[in-house]
Amino acid sequence: MKKLNNKQLKMNTNMKNIYLKKCVFAVVSMLIMMISVTLMAQEPVIDMNDISREEVLELSYDQLLNMPLEDLMKLADIVGVSMEELLQLAMNKNVSTASKKMETVFESPLSTSVITSDEIRLSGATTVAEALRLVPGLIVREESNGNYDIHIRGFDNVPPENFTHFSENMISLIMLDGIPVYSNVAGGTFWETLPVSINQIDRIDVVRGPSSALYGPNAVSGVINIVTKKQGDDNFDLDFSQRVGAYNSIVGDLYASTRISDDLRVSIGGRYDIRDRMTDKQYEFFSGQYRTFEEQETGIVNITAIDTFEGPFFQSLPQERSKEVFAGNINLIYSPAYDVNITATGSMQSSSVNQIFFENIATPYSVRSSNTGFGSINANVKGLSAYFAFQGGTQDLSEGMVRPVIEYDMQSLNSNVEYLIDLGKLALLPAVNYQSASYDDKMYIQDMRESKNDQNIDGLFGGEKTTSLFGGSLRADYRPIENLRLIAAGRFDKYDYIEEYYPSYQFVASYNLNDKHLFRALFSKANRGAFVGDLHANFRNPIIEGLVVGAIPADSYNMFLMDPQLAPFAPLLPTDPPPIHYNFTQYYLGSNNTDRELKLMSMNMFEIGYRGKISNQFQIEIEGFISNAKDFDALVSYTHVDTGYYSIGELTGLPDYNSIGTPLPDTLYSEDPLYYENLPLTATQTGVSATISLSLANNILIKAFGTYQVTNISNHLTVLGDTVDMEHKNTPSFYGGLTAIYIPTDKIELFLGSYFYGAQTYNRYYRPLAPTPEAIAAAKANAEDKISSKIILNARASYKVWNESRIFVEGKNLLFDNSPEAGFGDEIKTMFFAGIQLGF
Amino acid sequence: MSASAQNEKFKALFLYNFTKFIEWPESQKGGDFVIGVMGSSPIINELSTIAEKKTVGSQDIVVKKLNSASEANACHIVYVPENQSNKVNAIISSVSSTSVLVISDKDGLISSGSGINYVSVNGKQKFEVSKTNIESTGLKVNSQLLSLGISK
């Protein structure tokens, strides 16, 4: 120590001399040339015993290079490394999704956020969806315990006043290690089917805004890419966590990885996630109330269910369960050189969830079950990058649904090849992409016909149906000068069954000032994919004679049998006009079955953004955007039960038919044709998102983010065929989060975070009993749900027992706000978990 | 500069300073002083800055990104970033016939045969140093370095 002090004194004296000389020089300069003064760098006196972290960070390379190693070691101690890990959680994280090459989030020319494995652990996220509540610009709604729907920026439930599944996100590209994982039925993502453990996620990249030019279809509102761990330690990595929580929730996650030889690693991941619902009630369309299953059993719902639904409404799951997920994967990673990496992956999952998606006549909730397998080969060899992926399995979007059968076998294939041509200032990335999907419900329709002894039962697709696309793209990334970056990317897709070639593009300019301020602007266009449901829905369901249609109060879409048991409901039935319709037939028809050319929904966006590293403690990011979307398609209804006995032919010019193909006179029939058809509706969203990251002391990181937005809809087609302009109320005008991470010692990690959103109004499909303003208003009100604003406060504390092994407790929704987060959704209550993590 | 880069900067500064305590054989004192970095790492930028400003004795410093372990034997120092740690064994065997200081960056790797290993101790950047490992490659090490680092 003494020796060090002597050395310091000597150094201090030297530095003081230098300082004095510089000061004198500066004063002289000031007299001679006033302007140059401000540019003069003044070197600080270095007192090794009393130097702050900030002062160390201000030291120049030349100063540091002239110091002896032991002084440097002392300065390094002051800077520390824990700080680095914390600030890594802000803007210095690596991201590859935005530009298809590794860069930091700061440099990314797009609206990009990254969540790292550390953040996932520190926040206590138990699912990918929950982790996404840490990201600006995402609207994450929990629909039942552990089950979520996620929208990027908004456009949720656009077009409004439609069936429940249209309220779920169908316009984002979700990928696992760069390979699309959305469903080809309609483009939605079934988050429970991701076959990965939360512990094996290296990071999640999120890009907000249309990005199809780089990634292909459906990146309309943005991209979420879940990237798994590829690198590993020398010998054996293990990360197993087990959580036990309220509502009989048990969540286990495993990741293990080991080196087999110098160049070959193997890793496995596994997950189970079992939870009960947080309530014994479920929203019932008919009564317009939340009711228990017992109440429903004696009510209208199960009686109507005889015909269209195999009650009870929970099939593979016990009635109280919200989720049962089992998944496993194995990966072989061959990396003989730093720029050669070939990964082969195989995975399987089996899942059942009770969540909002494919509504039935009783509730918006249904049990969705999936048993799927996935295999892929992903190769990165120098500039060449390619993948080939296959997925297959069975899925039932609504267990117990009889009309239509909505269970099917499915297969999908995805392949992509791209090559990076690096020409110095210019980098080119040409790519070709092929995707196909096949869905087949034949077998399940036959089974249901046999079991119900009813040949009129149909399925959603009515046989094997396919969709495919071939796409090509080119991206040019040009840096004329070091700080300026210009990017142009274009892509064309040719879809099966759709005549047009679909272009998507992206033009970006970014300017990086001093590595501290990044300004960027971009214009882009992207389109939704062509999905099997929209193209091929082929469901014609003659419901047997003697039905009453439109016996409200909740909604005219409810149907029930004329039955003595229903006598108590008779007073509820409208008498003028009488609601009795015989031989009621429902149709869901995809565009390909009605010879209507389907335009794919597309979005244009203009965006400007700024990122600033204001200081080592404070970073800020702002993005402003205006997006315009058009060519939405939806199941469009053509009849109103109150206005007579229309036939499909009268309204559409198509042949009249029933399910067995016999032409029938109009007057005897009431029909309910619903076509996938483009709507005149357009939607414009204007918004701004901001994020600030603040690191206090060495071990506290505070992050605040929020989005304010307004969405306006033009040409919305009402039930009466009028078009109206309106403000869209389903996207909250304000949403965001505030999180704090505090690491007081090596052993203790603390997290306190909130996610919040403003009030929303959800509007479901409705049809009035009569075309009068009163009837319309009543029906509309019955199909409307006002969702109140909510602050979801989460906390976590963990204690490191040994190595990477910890014990922890987590609380979620700690303000005890039980309000539902989705339209007609379950109450979402406070949740507690305790758990252990075993790792080394 | 980001905090992450700060840490890389100190690792680079340490690395440069190690050259003052290590003596390479006469046969390697001519030409450029080559520092190899396995794979991509932000430390390359830091080392390149140092290379512009400093020399090792009379030798100019050249920083080289290594694509495979077999390229290591043409270097004076090879730094193996943490995420390339699985290549340490391959690098050590490929440099067995030349005098190369191998610097690794992960807990426990000093026992794999690296001369110096960066470790984080209670949130602070430290390094382990092994006299045996360094001298087995024909390098000489000043005992002051052994006392500054965590001697193994």
Side-chain angles (χ1 to χ4, degrees):
Chain A
M1 242 1 200
K2 216 168 214 171
K3 195 176 160 192
L4 189 74
N5 287 338
N6 288 340
K7 214 174 238 318
Q8 282 163 7
L9 281 173
K10 199 172 155 193
M11 187 169 67
N12 289 347
T13 318
N14 284 340
M15 287 295 175
K16 272 178 184 156
N17 287 339
I18 293 166
Y19 178 65
L20 280 173
K21 282 178 192 166
K22 288 270 175 186
C23 281
V24 169
F25 180 65
V27 170
V28 172
S29 300
M30 202 162 21
L31 293 169
I32 299 167
M33 200 188 286
M34 298 289 284
I35 301 162
S36 64
V37 167
T38 51
L39 301 174
M40 293 302 301
Q42 299 190 2
E43 295 186 1
V45 181
I46 303 175
D47 176 354
M48 295 299 285
N49 285 332
D50 188 26
I51 181 167
S52 72
R53 187 167 186 284
E54 286 64 39
E55 285 166 333
V56 174
L57 298 179
E58 294 295 319
L59 294 175
S60 72
Y61 242 114
D62 289 328
Q63 286 173 307
L64 292 165
L65 276 171
N66 289 326
M67 287 183 189
L69 180 57
E70 50 190 304
D71 286 348
L72 282 172
M73 290 177 69
K74 199 153 186 217
L75 296 180
D77 286 355
I78 293 165
V79 171
V81 291
S82 58
M83 168 75 178
E84 166 213 4
E85 286 159 12
L86 266 183
L87 259 188
Q88 280 285 359
L89 303 185
M91 214 180 275
N92 303 307
K93 294 175 281 199
N94 287 328
V95 58
S96 61
T97 301
S99 292
K100 289 216 166 182
K101 65 180 190 114
M102 267 297 175
E103 58 192 9
T104 66
V105 172
F106 177 78
E107 297 167 308
S108 169
L110 309 180
S111 285
T112 309
S113 302
V114 175
I115 320 165
T116 61
S117 57
D118 284 336
E119 263 174 301
I120 292 172
R121 188 193 72 241
L122 287 163
S123 71
T126 59
T127 59
V128 170
E130 217 182 326
L132 290 168
R133 282 189 160 156
L134 303 168
V135 180
L138 294 197
I139 303 160
V140 182
R141 296 183 177 94
E142 190 167 3
E143 297 186 334
S144 57
N145 188 5
N147 298 314
Y148 295 81
D149 181 38
I150 297 163
H151 289 263
I152 303 178
R153 281 189 176 158
F155 292 92
D156 23 9
N157 202 31
V158 178
E161 296 168 0
N162 221 311
F163 294 113
T164 307
H165 81 264
F166 288 94
S167 70
E168 307 284 294
N169 184 8
M170 298 187 290
I171 55 168
S172 298
L173 172 57
I174 315 302
M175 301 190 290
L176 180 59
D177 289 320
I179 300 168
V181 291
Y182 54 67
S183 157
N184 279 290
V185 173
T189 296
F190 305 145
W191 292 94
E192 76 279 5
T193 63
L194 291 173
V196 286
S197 152
I198 195 112
N199 292 0
Q200 76 185 120
I201 296 172
D202 181 48
R203 56 172 212 276
I204 304 173
D205 296 351
V206 177
V207 178
R208 294 173 288 277
S211 314
S212 287
L214 207 52
Y215 282 98
N218 229 42
V220 178
S221 64
V223 178
I224 297 172
N225 186 20
I226 300 151
V227 182
T228 59
K229 291 174 180 169
K230 298 288 184 314
Q231 301 280 359
D233 291 343
D234 205 31
N235 297 314
F236 181 64
D237 281 347
L238 174 74
D239 186 357
F240 170 73
S241 59
Q242 172 67 60
R243 286 176 167 85
V244 178
Y247 307 104
N248 294 319
S249 303
I250 303 170
V251 183
D253 281 284
L254 170 73
Y255 169 66
S257 165
T258 190
R259 191 162 63 104
I260 296 175
S261 72
D262 277 356
D263 302 329
L264 188 65
R265 295 190 68 80
V266 62
S267 73
I268 56 167
R271 171 171 179 79
Y272 48 86
D273 185 348
I274 300 159
R275 308 179 197 218
D276 278 356
R277 296 172 63 239
M278 294 173 166
T279 167
D280 59 353
K281 293 185 174 180
Q282 213 158 36
Y283 186 77
E284 188 186 75
F285 288 133
F286 172 76
S287 62
Q289 292 172 4
Y290 284 89
R291 300 175 93 174
T292 65
F293 291 110
E294 287 71 28
E295 286 165 342
Q296 289 182 354
E297 267 171 39
T298 56
I300 194 75
V301 170
N302 270 7
I303 297 165
T304 63
I306 293 165
D307 197 49
T308 59
F309 207 90
E310 263 186 332
F313 292 107
F314 24 84
Q315 299 289 316
S316 63
L317 287 178
Q319 66 177 55
E320 66 278 4
R321 195 56 56 83
S322 75
K323 189 175 192 182
E324 282 182 3
V325 171
F326 302 91
N329 62 65
I330 181 162
N331 313 277
L332 284 171
I333 302 141
Y334 175 66
S335 180
Y338 87 101
D339 53 3
V340 177
N341 183 305
I342 298 164
T343 303
T345 293
S347 66
M348 290 182 78
Q349 69 83 35
S350 173
S351 59
S352 292
V353 294
N354 187 356
Q355 101 171 88
I356 293 175
F357 185 65
F358 204 90
E359 67 181 33
N360 51 64
I361 56 173
T363 83
Y365 279 78
S366 57
V367 172
R368 173 171 68 218
S369 63
S370 314
N371 292 288
T372 56
F374 174 87
S376 70
I377 291 181
N378 200 327
N380 295 287
V381 180
K382 301 187 188 294
L384 184 72
S385 173
Y387 69 73
F388 179 87
F390 173 82
Q391 186 174 12
T394 66
Q395 197 158 51
D396 193 342
L397 290 185
S398 181
E399 283 192 12
M401 186 77 102
V402 175
R403 298 166 196 273
V405 170
I406 198 160
E407 187 174 9
Y408 45 77
D409 292 331
M410 59 179 186
Q411 295 179 346
S412 66
L413 220 159
N414 268 301
S415 56
N416 192 74
V417 181
E418 58 194 35
Y419 185 66
L420 182 69
I421 303 163
D422 192 344
L423 304 169
K425 287 180 175 179
L426 177 68
L428 297 173
L429 184 76
V432 288
N433 177 225
Y434 176 76
Q435 302 178 14
S436 74
S438 159
Y439 284 69
D440 189 353
D441 56 4
K442 255 194 321 277
M443 192 173 82
Y444 301 96
I445 297 170
Q446 274 166 12
D447 287 352
M448 189 62 81
R449 285 177 176 177
E450 279 168 27
S451 96
K452 296 283 166 192
N453 195 23
D454 180 353
Q455 290 302 306
N456 286 329
I457 290 172
D458 269 359
L460 184 65
F461 306 126
E464 185 181 356
K465 299 294 159 63
T466 60
T467 178
S468 70
L469 80 89
F470 184 79
S473 65
L474 178 66
R475 176 191 165 96
D477 189 338
Y478 178 53
R479 291 172 189 266
I481 53 171
E482 200 185 325
N483 297 339
L484 181 65
R485 188 169 172 195
L486 302 169
I487 298 167
R491 174 177 170 121
F492 271 100
D493 284 294
K494 176 66 184 83
Y495 299 87
D496 212 0
Y497 303 104
I498 289 179
E499 288 292 314
E500 277 180 60
Y501 282 76
Y502 267 80
S504 48
Y505 46 80
Q506 197 173 52
F507 300 99
V508 192
S510 74
Y511 185 76
N512 185 344
L513 183 67
N514 302 333
D515 278 333
K516 286 187 188 304
H517 307 279
L518 187 108
F519 302 89
R520 57 191 184 81
L522 81 115
F523 181 72
S524 65
K525 181 189 178 185
N527 61 273
R528 182 165 172 256
F531 296 107
V532 178
D534 309 44
L535 290 171
H536 299 297
N538 188 15
F539 162 57
R540 301 163 192 196
N541 182 31
I543 296 169
I544 56 170
E545 285 186 11
L547 271 179
V548 176
V549 181
I552 311 303
D555 181 69
S556 63
Y557 200 65
N558 291 308
M559 295 159 282
F560 55 90
L561 290 163
M562 288 295 279
D563 187 287
Q565 289 182 59
L566 294 180
F569 296 97
L572 299 173
L573 302 182
T575 52
D576 185 24
I580 299 170
H581 298 252
Y582 293 97
N583 296 331
F584 180 80
T585 305
Q586 275 183 312
Y587 299 82
Y588 297 166
L589 294 174
S591 63
N592 200 45
N593 289 318
T594 54
D595 289 332
R596 290 168 183 230
E597 174 72 13
L598 191 68
K599 281 190 170 221
L600 299 175
M601 178 262 185
S602 66
M603 188 189 287
N604 289 312
M605 179 191 71
F606 176 69
E607 182 182 76
I608 50 169
Y610 165 76
R611 281 187 204 103
K613 296 179 184 172
I614 308 302
S615 75
N616 285 308
Q617 285 75 43
F618 184 64
Q619 300 176 341
I620 187 164
E621 174 162 23
I622 301 171
E623 62 206 38
F625 50 91
I626 177 159
S627 311
N628 187 271
K630 61 173 186 177
D631 295 332
F632 289 90
D633 69 284
L635 278 170
V636 177
S637 169
Y638 278 86
T639 55
H640 302 289
V641 290
D642 58 289
T643 53
Y645 302 91
Y646 288 135
S647 80
I648 195 167
E650 268 180 65
L651 287 149
T652 65
L654 292 172
D656 289 336
Y657 44 73
N658 67 2
S659 68
I660 50 172
T662 313
L664 294 162
D666 293 347
T667 50
L668 291 176
Y669 287 82
S670 174
E671 296 179 320
D672 188 14
L674 296 152
Y675 299 168
Y676 275 100
E677 189 174 277
N678 286 120
L679 302 171
L681 177 147
T682 59
T684 304
Q685 184 185 39
T686 310
V688 59
S689 286
T691 306
I692 55 172
S693 306
L694 178 68
S695 85
L696 296 173
N698 243 1
N699 47 13
I700 299 176
L701 180 73
I702 294 172
K703 211 164 95 174
F705 53 90
T707 300
Y708 176 76
Q709 68 83 40
V710 177
T711 303
N712 285 304
I713 286 177
S714 299
N715 296 325
H716 171 53
L717 196 61
T718 70
V719 290
L720 294 179
D722 301 334
T723 55
V724 295
D725 296 347
M726 58 197 240
E727 188 180 338
H728 183 59
K729 296 285 194 185
N730 204 161
T731 306
S733 57
F734 186 72
Y735 54 92
L738 176 64
T739 64
I741 292 166
Y742 177 42
I743 304 180
T745 75
D746 274 359
K747 290 191 178 296
I748 296 173
E749 297 169 344
L750 301 172
F751 172 87
L752 185 66
S754 65
Y755 176 80
F756 46 83
Y757 56 74
Q760 307 143 50
T761 305
Y762 168 69
N763 290 98
R764 183 179 162 266
Y765 175 78
Y766 70 95
R767 286 186 305 178
L769 283 172
T772 61
E774 297 76 25
I776 292 168
K780 190 174 177 178
N782 278 327
E784 185 168 284
D785 191 17
K786 293 196 184 300
I787 299 161
S788 50
S789 60
K790 188 167 184 174
I791 299 172
I792 299 148
L793 182 71
N794 298 341
R796 178 180 191 269
S798 95
Y799 180 76
K800 190 192 275 187
V801 182
W802 168 77
N803 210 319
E804 291 295 309
S805 297
R806 301 174 173 89
I807 52 173
F808 57 85
V809 287
E810 294 160 354
K812 296 165 196 285
N813 192 14
L814 292 171
L815 297 181
F816 298 94
D817 180 345
N818 292 343
S819 58
E821 298 173 12
F824 302 124
D826 271 9
E827 286 190 328
I828 300 299
K829 298 182 177 172
T830 303
M831 180 80 194
F832 293 99
F833 276 111
I836 53 161
Q837 180 190 12
L838 293 174
F840 52 82
Chain B
M1 175 179 282
S2 75
S4 164
Q6 281 293 348
N7 208 39
E8 295 300 322
K9 183 173 171 178
F10 276 104
K11 284 180 188 170
L13 287 163
F14 283 14
L15 187 149
Y16 164 70
N17 274 277
F18 296 152
T19 65
K20 298 173 184 170
F21 299 95
I22 305 247
E23 194 182 340
W24 275 262
E26 285 304 321
S27 59
Q28 286 175 249
K29 283 186 176 169
D32 291 334
F33 187 90
V34 181
I35 301 172
V37 176
M38 195 68 216
S40 298
S41 165
I43 204 170
I44 291 176
N45 292 337
E46 305 298 331
L47 289 170
S48 302
T49 307
I50 294 173
E52 284 167 18
K53 296 172 184 287
K54 290 284 174 183
T55 57
V56 174
S58 59
Q59 293 173 283
D60 287 336
I61 301 173
V62 172
V63 182
K64 214 173 130 187
K65 180 174 154 190
L66 306 182
N67 295 332
S68 75
S70 59
E71 296 170 36
N73 59 9
C75 304
H76 292 77
I77 296 179
V78 170
Y79 169 71
V80 188
E82 185 176 10
N83 64 10
Q84 298 283 328
S85 292
N86 59 3
K87 303 208 174 70
V88 163
N89 288 339
I91 289 165
I92 288 168
S93 51
S94 94
V95 301
S96 55
S97 56
T98 47
S99 297
V100 179
L101 174 66
V102 177
I103 302 177
S104 54
D105 195 348
K106 183 165 174 52
D107 275 356
L109 282 195
I110 197 86
S111 57
S112 302
S114 60
I116 290 175
N117 183 41
Y118 286 132
V119 288
S120 150
V121 179
N122 294 329
K124 291 170 178 172
Q125 185 62 57
K126 304 285 182 191
F127 62 90
E128 298 172 333
V129 52
S130 165
K131 186 169 193 267
T132 324
N133 291 351
I134 294 175
E135 292 188 344
S136 70
T137 62
L139 298 168
K140 288 180 186 158
V141 56
N142 184 317
S143 61
Q144 208 191 333
L145 183 66
L146 302 176
S147 65
L148 286 170
I150 303 164
S151 196
K152 290 278 176 177

